[in-house]
Amino acid sequence: MKITVVEDSKNVNCDVLIINKFEDKETSNQLVNEFAPETFTGKAGEIFTIHTHNKYPSTYILAVGLGKEEELDNNIIRENTAKAIKKCIELKAKTVAFDITTDQMFGMSIISGSFIANYNFDKYKTKKEHRIEELYLSNVSQHIEHAKHIAEAVEFARDLANEPAQYATPQRLAELALSFDGLDTRVFEKEQIKKMGMGAFYAVSKGSEEPPKFIHMRYSSPTPLKRIAIIGKGICFDSGGLDIKPASSMLTMKDDMSGAACILGIMKVLSKFKPDIEVHGIIAACENMPGAEAYKPGDILTAKNGKTIEVDNTDAEGRLTLADALCYACDLEVDEIIDIATLTGACMVALGNAASGIMGNDSEFINQIIKMGSLCGEKFWELPMWQEYRDNMKSDVADMKNTGTRYGGASSAGMFLKEFVKDDIKWAHLDVAGTAFLESPHKEFGKGATGVGVRTILNYILCH
Ligand code: BES
Ligand code: MG
Ligand code: ZN
């Protein structure tokens, strides 16, 4: 979608002009004020559309309710912009102009909402879905370019997570990482992964014909103020391995690299912002398959930091791959680590698709991330990291097992990961199992991948 900033969006010849309606207040447009029914009061989410019959430069005027003006915030703008854009798509509009008259600048959220709503994964359909092609804005601040890059990163992450596992292979992720501008990128192959001591990650990869790739992308300014590592779970397909999943649970498991897709989306655009820090994007990419060489329940693995793990369930594979990625990040002696993973069905059971789980070792760090998320509509809810969850992973034969009891699974997984993080490094773990991939539309998102985490982590990087 092309974005054009104009002096006055009201005068653009376009298919739809979107204006705002506040509760109990007239709009800026006479046609709407005159012809809208009484039931159109301006409550957030209400929409009234009218054909202008050449009385105005646009074919339609769409008034969208934004609630009470004093309660307006980025989330209300973004969600209702998305709603208006979906209506424009129904009207088969190609060009849309926004004339949102408020005291504040909301260009960022308008762009975010528009891009999210205009997204469609129709790459493999011979007949493409209708899309808005051009957006006109006025009265916006200078952050438009930034907003566009962020929206592109989200789209990239959604496309990649929606891509079938047959194409989005570890090899493909590595190729994409190597294609990004402004980064130093290294990809470690199977033999190097083994040699570097990543016994947990290597074991998970063994059941698949697709070779594993350990991807390390590095961005840096000349004199970085701090160093941060961002890690994405990159299971390109999770069959469960020998502890194979039932068909219904396996159906969406191409999305088990949504964390990796998020990190790739961020790293793709990062150099355009030129932040004054060093960022390491890390992905341990492989498939979890039950091939002849597959790792087995009862196997004892040694992670990169020397700790041993008894495999209790081959379907708890994400934490094994992340264990080695976390060790690798700690060896880089970064100041902070954020990992993002579709890690546990338990997190999905606990929070549904309303929020992602967040855990870590530093509450201030966690709260900063929660705050960044709340500004862009990505909710995070902190889950406990108590000793009880670690106790139930005790093993008779190794330092720990890779699963706990049936209950409290998201916290067990968090406590497992903690074993691979050095105490003096701030660390946050985002469990996006319930939010990365939607089985039915939710808020501004349609079915499928949401690109969750891209906006939160990118904003965190840019603001701290
Ligand atoms: N990739 C899954 C978690 C998941 C479930 C993501 C649903 C998205 C939607 C993960 O690898 C997994 O299989 N976890 C197991 C862990 C269990 C064996 C301890 C789970 O949650 O059932
Ligand atoms: Mg699994
Ligand atoms: Zn998984």
Side-chain angles (χ1 to χ4, degrees), residues 174-214:
E175 284 164 8
L176 286 169
L178 288 165
S179 74
F180 299 156
D181 293 332
L183 309 177
D184 288 325
T185 299
R186 291 187 69 183
V187 176
F188 299 101
E189 306 292 333
K190 184 172 158 176
E191 286 311 310
Q192 293 162 291
I193 291 165
K194 229 198 294 189
K195 233 185 250 155
M196 287 156 81
M198 301 196 195
F201 169 41
Y202 176 69
V204 174
S205 77
K206 279 170 59 186
S208 170
E209 294 279 314
E210 292 288 341
K213 305 280 169 181
F214 188 89

Side-chain angles (χ1 to χ4, degrees), residues 173 204 230-238 245 253 255-263 282-286 288 315-322 325 338-345 429-433:
L173 302 195
V204 174
I230 53 176
I231 303 174
K233 171 173 170 181
I235 299 295
C236 292
F237 189 74
D238 183 10
K245 285 180 186 292
M253 281 301 130
D255 86 323
D256 215 16
M257 37 61 78
S258 297
C262 165
I263 300 306
I282 297 169
I283 297 161
C286 71
N288 186 24
D315 198 11
E317 84 299 337
R319 64 195 75 184
L320 296 171
T321 62
L322 288 170
I338 301 174
D339 79 68
I340 176 163
T342 45
L343 203 61
T344 66
H429 157 59
L430 316 182
D431 192 333
V432 295

Side-chain angles (χ1 to χ4, degrees), residues 115-271:
F115 272 82
I116 291 171
N118 201 34
Y119 177 84
N120 210 304
F121 187 68
D122 57 4
K123 186 174 167 187
Y124 297 104
K125 287 187 175 174
T126 46
K127 189 175 174 299
K128 303 300 177 202
E129 301 290 333
H130 182 82
R131 273 191 185 72
I132 311 293
E133 289 166 8
E134 208 165 350
L135 215 58
Y136 294 90
L137 301 169
S138 53
N139 185 33
V140 287
S141 66
Q142 64 283 10
H143 297 306
I144 292 308
E145 281 304 305
H146 278 200
K148 252 171 73 178
H149 295 323
I150 295 175
E152 281 164 13
V154 174
E155 277 192 0
F156 179 89
R158 295 178 83 182
D159 271 343
L160 192 53
N162 277 326
E163 190 75 16
Q166 89 207 88
Y167 300 124
T169 57
Q171 167 77 35
R172 180 79 191 124
L173 302 195
E175 284 164 8
L176 286 169
L178 288 165
S179 74
F180 299 156
D181 293 332
L183 309 177
D184 288 325
T185 299
R186 291 187 69 183
V187 176
F188 299 101
E189 306 292 333
K190 184 172 158 176
E191 286 311 310
Q192 293 162 291
I193 291 165
K194 229 198 294 189
K195 233 185 250 155
M196 287 156 81
M198 301 196 195
F201 169 41
Y202 176 69
V204 174
S205 77
K206 279 170 59 186
S208 170
E209 294 279 314
E210 292 288 341
K213 305 280 169 181
F214 188 89
I215 303 165
H216 177 188
M217 297 160 274
R218 177 180 165 277
Y219 162 85
S220 188
S221 69
T223 50
L225 298 172
K226 72 170 178 188
R227 311 172 74 223
I228 176 167
I230 53 176
I231 303 174
K233 171 173 170 181
I235 299 295
C236 292
F237 189 74
D238 183 10
S239 71
L242 285 172
D243 288 308
I244 198 159
K245 285 180 186 292
S248 60
S249 311
M250 207 191 292
L251 200 57
T252 56
M253 281 301 130
K254 66 171 185 181
D255 86 323
D256 215 16
M257 37 61 78
S258 297
C262 165
I263 300 306
L264 286 165
I266 292 169
M267 296 308 289
K268 182 173 195 277
V269 302
L270 194 58
S271 65

Side-chain angles (χ1 to χ4, degrees), residues 17 19 29 31-32 48-50 52 56 58-63:
L17 172 70
I19 65 169
N29 185 276
L31 214 52
V32 172
F48 171 72
T49 317
I50 188 163
T52 66
Y56 288 87
S58 65
T59 310
Y60 290 96
I61 293 183
L62 185 162

